[in-house]
Amino acid sequence: MTGEAEFIDHLRHIATHPAARGLNDDTAVLPLADQTLIITHDMMVEGVHWLPNADPADVAWKLVAVNLSDLAAKGAVPLGVVLGFALAGDNDWDARFAAGLETVLAEYDVPLLGGDTVSVPADKTARALGLTALGRATCDTVPSRSGAKAGNKLYVTGAVGDARAGFLLAQSGGAGDPALLTAFHRPAPLLEQGQTLAGQVHAMMDVSDGLLLDAARMTEASGLALTIDLHAVPLSQAYIAQHGDDAEARLAAARWGDDYQLLFALPQNEKPAIAATPIGQFTDGSELSLRYGNKPYPLPEKLGYLHR
Amino acid sequence: MTGEAEFIDHLRHIATHPAARGLNDDTAVLPLADQTLIITHDMMVEGVHWLPNADPADVAWKLVAVNLSDLAAKGAVPLGVVLGFALAGDNDWDARFAAGLETVLAEYDVPLLGGDTVSVPADKTARALGLTALGRATCDTVPSRSGAKAGNKLYVTGAVGDARAGFLLAQSGGAGDPALLTAFHRPAPLLEQGQTLAGQVHAMMDVSDGLLLDAARMTEASGLALTIDLHAVPLSQAYIAQHGDDAEARLAAARWGDDYQLLFALPQNEKPAIAATPIGQFTDGSELSLRYGNKPYPLPEKLGYLHR
């Protein structure tokens, strides 16, 4: 059997949901009750989204996790994923990828519904991967970026910066605190938290490109101003042990992406349905600004990771 | 504005359906009544699926058309598409692509629901495009590859081979019969025909990788044998003018893909709901065989275009 046939066979073994039709058909067929479909698509490209020495199983994990994180920010329950995979002639890589795909889909109980594989020209060996994730909404008003109101507080569900610390460890050889490496290699989409919050909040996003950049997007989409207190930005003990907890360390954590915490807005006196840290305040206006405790803090030119 | 920002802006201009949320959110949000969702994903890679001198607007057309053709074979009505696009630093290319995308989506009245764009290192990465198309089923039993029965006839909705003739013209400079060039550059997904047939047929596929290869897949999935009469395989006048209509010309047409006609199976005495040509006969057994009129004809080793 060729490597490609083996890869497809592995996918077939994963794709046990009836909607996938055993990957023996051209489409997936998914009966739905009366509901709202949530659809997201993220691509990852070798040399852009992962380090050359990355474990392909981690790449598969991340490709699924970043898409599920988008569903989480809508409070959606995943219905399935569809994979686009460019084979670049390295069977071991593909097999590790398929194994990682199986692991992450089992972890979050998400069916593989279908997809497409193509072989890329051997002289252009960088791989491009795409994943479409489908979910069903769990509440009538699906949260958006634009739902924040003046007077709302901005919350984040947990520590940011661990993915940054893990990236720096991975880049310099891969030794160090396993919790930080895991945060970078195998981020956890906060599906349950998103489902719990979705009925309560009207603005929610996941932190994918950096807390400041994503918060700026929510602020702009909502037509408001936002002040974030850097001092309130939560860090993990593992991050602090590596990088400290001064203003510079917190700013670095808040400018980095890949954390997949959830950011959401709530009225001043409303308590979030799950544990979360208030880090900012929306007001009328149109700018993002920072403070550190009681003092204004300069906004850096680059707020996060910009694919675009 | 950078080329990338322009490209996204163009997509935003196309994505007017409310479910797309103006491409200003991380997901699309699509309310559905009680129905069955049809999902397909096809990738296209530079150097594999299009010629280096291809018009990017044609590439966009084909990317959408091949996915819609998969929906057509299920009798589905398109609900929308999600695009994965790798920018390779050529703004003119991207702009032409976006224009072609707009044209084909308008032609088939299909909303752009969302997607992802990433910049790729141009020296290392072939441009890779992915599209997920969503549709809703129009009948209770969605046709599959595996629904053919012994005694069924195999039908094809129209001429095959035009895409092959168009490819050969394009490869040798692009001059020649415009109908053939259009068949190659801008194939038409047979959405209405598929919707009409879906309630009648139990096995249906589109001809994407070659009539013989796709018919062999239906035969295998149905656990049957099939004999195709090459002499009955319909050719266009334009194809015949270029390549003749002898056994060799018909075989070449039947081994080539990209035609996007529909193949379907019907009981012996049942008349298809739309005009179509009977070209074969399913029987008990497990092999595909050919005849040319009354004489057996040898099966070629390669039945079509195999991406995998």
Side-chain angles (χ1 to χ4, degrees):
Chain A
M1 202 183 318
T2 66
E4 189 158 11
E6 265 174 45
F7 183 74
I8 309 266
D9 247 41
H10 197 150
L11 296 185
R12 234 170 234 139
H13 165 79
I14 300 172
T16 53
H17 191 288
R21 292 187 160 189
L23 303 187
N24 287 317
D25 214 317
D26 294 309
T27 69
V29 175
L30 182 67
L32 288 180
D34 196 10
Q35 53 199 212
T36 293
L37 193 68
I38 309 294
I39 309 148
T40 184
H41 180 86
D42 275 306
M43 288 182 83
M44 287 174 57
V45 174
E46 193 172 42
V48 180
H49 297 90
W50 68 85
L51 296 169
N53 62 349
D55 180 346
D58 288 341
V59 175
W61 180 288
K62 204 157 188 169
L63 180 66
V64 172
V66 300
N67 277 285
L68 294 185
S69 180
D70 282 328
L71 295 186
K74 304 296 160 195
V77 173
L79 293 168
V81 297
V82 180
L83 172 70
F85 189 85
L87 293 137
D90 178 345
N91 297 342
D92 291 344
W93 203 98
D94 299 341
R96 282 289 298 163
F97 179 90
L101 185 69
E102 187 166 8
T103 304
V104 65
L105 293 177
E107 176 73 24
Y108 296 101
D109 195 18
V110 179
L112 175 64
L113 295 178
D116 194 19
T117 58
V118 299
S119 293
V120 300
D123 59 326
K124 302 250 186 180
T125 53
R127 290 175 181 78
L129 308 170
L131 196 87
T132 302
L134 304 175
R136 62 175 176 81
T138 56
C139 55
D140 287 341
T141 305
V142 177
S144 71
R145 292 183 179 183
S146 61
K149 306 278 174 232
N152 281 184
K153 281 186 185 170
L154 177 70
Y155 288 83
V156 65
T157 47
V160 295
D162 285 8
R164 170 179 182 258
F167 169 80
L168 295 172
L169 290 176
Q171 202 183 29
S172 64
D177 191 326
L180 297 176
L181 286 163
T182 298
F184 172 61
H185 289 308
R186 302 209 166 190
L190 301 180
L191 287 162
E192 281 175 33
Q193 292 88 329
Q195 289 157 24
T196 304
L197 288 165
Q200 186 185 24
V201 306
H202 296 302
M204 184 153 63
M205 294 177 68
D206 66 329
V207 179
S208 56
D209 293 339
L211 189 152
L212 295 188
L213 181 56
D214 288 322
R217 287 166 173 164
M218 186 185 285
T219 305
E220 191 188 345
S222 301
L224 294 173
L226 170 68
T227 304
I228 288 178
D229 181 1
L230 261 190
H231 190 259
V233 168
L235 302 177
S236 72
Q237 286 309 314
Y239 182 88
I240 294 171
Q242 206 88 30
H243 299 284
D245 64 353
D246 61 4
E248 204 179 317
R250 287 182 196 272
L251 182 64
R255 287 173 71 195
W256 199 270
D258 274 356
D259 286 312
Y260 306 103
Q261 297 291 349
L262 298 174
L263 273 182
F264 60 93
L266 269 191
Q268 200 67 243
N269 299 318
E270 201 170 329
K271 203 175 131 60
I274 61 167
T277 306
I279 58 167
Q281 173 85 40
F282 289 99
T283 53
D284 288 322
S286 63
E287 296 291 326
L288 171 65
S289 56
L290 298 183
R291 56 188 176 87
Y292 188 77
N294 289 326
K295 291 185 190 157
Y297 194 92
L299 196 69
E301 201 176 322
K302 200 175 167 192
L303 298 178
Y305 183 78
L306 273 170
H307 302 281
R308 57 195 204 192
Chain B
M1 199 181 319
T2 66
E4 189 157 9
E6 266 173 45
F7 183 74
I8 308 266
D9 248 41
H10 197 150
L11 295 185
R12 234 172 233 137
H13 166 77
I14 300 172
T16 53
H17 191 287
R21 292 186 160 189
L23 302 187
N24 286 317
D25 214 317
D26 293 308
T27 68
V29 176
L30 182 66
L32 288 180
D34 195 11
Q35 53 199 213
T36 293
L37 193 68
I38 310 294
I39 308 147
T40 185
H41 181 86
D42 276 305
M43 289 181 82
M44 287 175 56
V45 174
E46 193 171 39
V48 179
H49 297 91
W50 69 84
L51 295 169
N53 62 347
D55 180 348
D58 289 340
V59 175
W61 180 287
K62 204 156 187 170
L63 180 66
V64 171
V66 300
N67 277 285
L68 295 185
S69 180
D70 282 327
L71 296 186
K74 305 295 159 196
V77 173
L79 292 168
V81 297
V82 180
L83 172 70
F85 188 86
L87 293 137
D90 178 346
N91 298 343
D92 291 343
W93 203 97
D94 300 340
R96 281 289 299 161
F97 179 90
L101 185 70
E102 187 167 9
T103 306
V104 65
L105 292 177
E107 176 72 24
Y108 294 102
D109 196 19
V110 178
L112 175 65
L113 296 177
D116 193 21
T117 57
V118 299
S119 291
V120 300
D123 56 329
K124 291 186 197 141
T125 317
R127 206 187 290 265
L129 309 170
L131 197 87
T132 302
L134 304 175
R136 62 174 175 82
T138 56
C139 55
D140 287 341
T141 305
V142 177
S144 71
R145 291 184 180 183
S146 60
K149 306 278 175 231
N152 281 185
K153 281 186 185 171
L154 178 71
Y155 288 83
V156 65
T157 47
V160 296
D162 285 8
R164 171 178 181 257
F167 170 81
L168 295 171
L169 291 175
Q171 202 183 29
S172 64
D177 190 326
L180 297 176
L181 286 163
T182 298
F184 172 62
H185 289 308
R186 303 209 166 190
L190 301 180
L191 287 161
E192 281 175 33
Q193 292 88 329
Q195 288 157 24
T196 304
L197 288 166
Q200 186 185 24
V201 306
H202 296 303
M204 184 153 63
M205 294 176 68
D206 66 329
V207 179
S208 56
D209 293 340
L211 189 151
L212 295 189
L213 181 57
D214 289 323
R217 287 166 173 165
M218 185 186 285
T219 306
E220 191 188 345
S222 301
L224 294 173
L226 170 67
T227 303
I228 289 178
D229 181 1
L230 262 190
H231 189 259
V233 168
L235 303 176
S236 72
Q237 286 308 315
Y239 182 87
I240 294 171
Q242 206 88 26
H243 298 284
D245 64 354
D246 61 4
E248 205 178 317
R250 287 183 197 271
L251 181 65
R255 288 172 70 194
W256 200 270
D258 274 356
D259 287 311
Y260 306 102
Q261 298 290 349
L262 299 174
L263 273 182
F264 60 93
L266 269 190
Q268 199 67 244
N269 299 318
E270 202 170 329
K271 205 176 131 60
I274 62 166
T277 307
I279 57 167
Q281 173 84 41
F282 289 100
T283 54
D284 288 321
S286 63
E287 296 290 327
L288 172 65
S289 55
L290 299 182
R291 56 189 175 88
Y292 188 74
N294 290 326
K295 290 185 191 157
Y297 194 91
L299 196 70
E301 201 178 323
K302 202 174 167 193
L303 298 179
Y305 183 77
L306 273 169
H307 302 281
R308 59 191 201 192

